[in-house]
Amino acid sequence: VGEPGAERTLFEAWLPGTLCVLATSDRQLVGGRTPIAGMGGSLVGTLLRIDMRTGETVAVPGGSRSTYDLAWDAGRAVLYSLGVDAGNDTVLMSHEGPGFENDRVLNRQEGEDLSASLALDAGSGIVLTSQSAGVITVWDGGAEGAIPCEGRVPRQLAAAEGVLASVNRDATLSLWNPSARRFAADLYLLASGDWCLAAASGRWFATDGAAALVRVSVDGSPGSDATSWRQER
C-alpha cells in the first residue's frame, strides 16, 4: 500500500484468503477473508484490522465463517459485512465499537450466495444487498424492506447519495431510488460509446447514435412513433 502518486511503500502484508479490503480511517484498513485449510483457518478472524503505519494485523472476533464484501459508514461509524456463517447461510452484519467487536446479524438468506453484493447510500445510511432470487434488500437502520426488481436480477451493486446502480445477471445496467424503494431507469451502453436511458415513466434519453435504434411498445404493442417518447436533455 502506498500514498497516491508516491513510490514509497508504507507496509507489506501477506494475508492468505483475503477477499476484500477498505479503509476506515487514514490509518486503518479492514479486510474480509475466508479461512484457508492448513493455515490456521477458523471462525475467529474472518475480519482483520490492519494498521497502515505499522503493518500490524488484529483479528476481529465473531462475524461470519467467510466475509467477502464490506461497506463503511464513516458518518455513523458502522462497518457492514456480507458473508457466509457457520450454517452456510448468507448474512448481512453490522459491526460497531472501537475494534468492531459488537456485531449483529441484520439479514439472513438461506443458503450460500457468493454472488450477492453489498452497497451503502452514505447520505441516508441505507444498506442494500442483492440476492440470487432477484431481490434488492434494504436496511434503513430500523427495519428491513425490499425494492421490487420487476424481472431484473441485480448482481453487483454500487451506490452514490440518493442513487443505486446495479449490474444485472443479463449484463444490463439499472438505476434505483433507494429511499423511495423503486426502479428509476435502465441504462444501455453501446460498443460505439452511444447510450440510451429508459426511465420508469416510459420516457427515454439517448445520444443521436443510439436514438435510431430505439423502439417503443405501448401495452405490449409497438408504438407508432418512438420519438414522441424521447426526452431532450
Side-chain angles (χ1 to χ4, degrees), residues 98-213:
F100 305 117
E101 64 277 6
N102 302 320
D103 59 29
R104 179 164 62 119
V105 175
L106 305 179
N107 174 266
R108 183 183 304 277
Q109 175 192 348
E110 185 177 352
E112 185 177 271
D113 186 1
L114 298 181
S115 62
S117 179
L118 170 63
L120 169 73
D121 180 349
S124 64
I126 292 175
V127 183
L128 307 114
T129 62
S130 63
Q131 299 180 5
S132 59
V135 174
I136 297 176
T137 300
V138 180
W139 175 262
D140 64 7
E144 179 185 311
I147 300 177
C149 293
E150 303 175 16
R152 299 165 184 83
V153 183
R155 304 312 303 146
Q156 189 66 36
L157 302 179
E161 189 166 345
V163 179
L164 173 70
S166 72
V167 177
N168 304 322
R169 188 168 61 186
D170 62 0
T172 59
L173 179 66
S174 297
L175 303 176
W176 315 82
N177 183 324
S179 297
R181 303 187 184 184
R182 60 179 174 80
F183 165 73
D186 284 322
L187 178 63
Y188 300 90
L189 305 175
L190 307 184
S192 63
D194 289 296
W195 56 267
C196 176
L197 182 73
S201 64
R203 295 288 180 180
W204 57 275
F205 310 75
T207 59
D208 291 337
L213 303 175

Side-chain angles (χ1 to χ4, degrees), residues 32 37 45 51 54 56-57 84 90-91 114 129 142 146 166 171 173 175 179 184 194 203 209 214 217:
D51 190 307
T54 65
E56 179 185 12
T57 62
V84 178
T90 304
V91 290
L114 298 181
T129 62
S166 72
L173 179 66
L175 303 176
S179 297
D194 289 296
R203 295 288 180 180
V214 175
S217 63

Side-chain angles (χ1 to χ4, degrees), residues 62-114:
S64 305
R65 174 175 59 83
S66 178
T67 299
Y68 59 88
D69 206 354
L70 296 168
W72 169 240
D73 189 337
R76 300 166 182 82
V78 181
L79 177 71
Y80 296 96
S81 69
L82 193 61
V84 178
D85 69 7
N88 287 331
D89 289 338
T90 304
V91 290
L92 169 67
M93 302 186 69
S94 65
H95 309 265
E96 300 181 72
F100 305 117
E101 64 277 6
N102 302 320
D103 59 29
R104 179 164 62 119
V105 175
L106 305 179
N107 174 266
R108 183 183 304 277
Q109 175 192 348
E110 185 177 352
E112 185 177 271
D113 186 1
L114 298 181

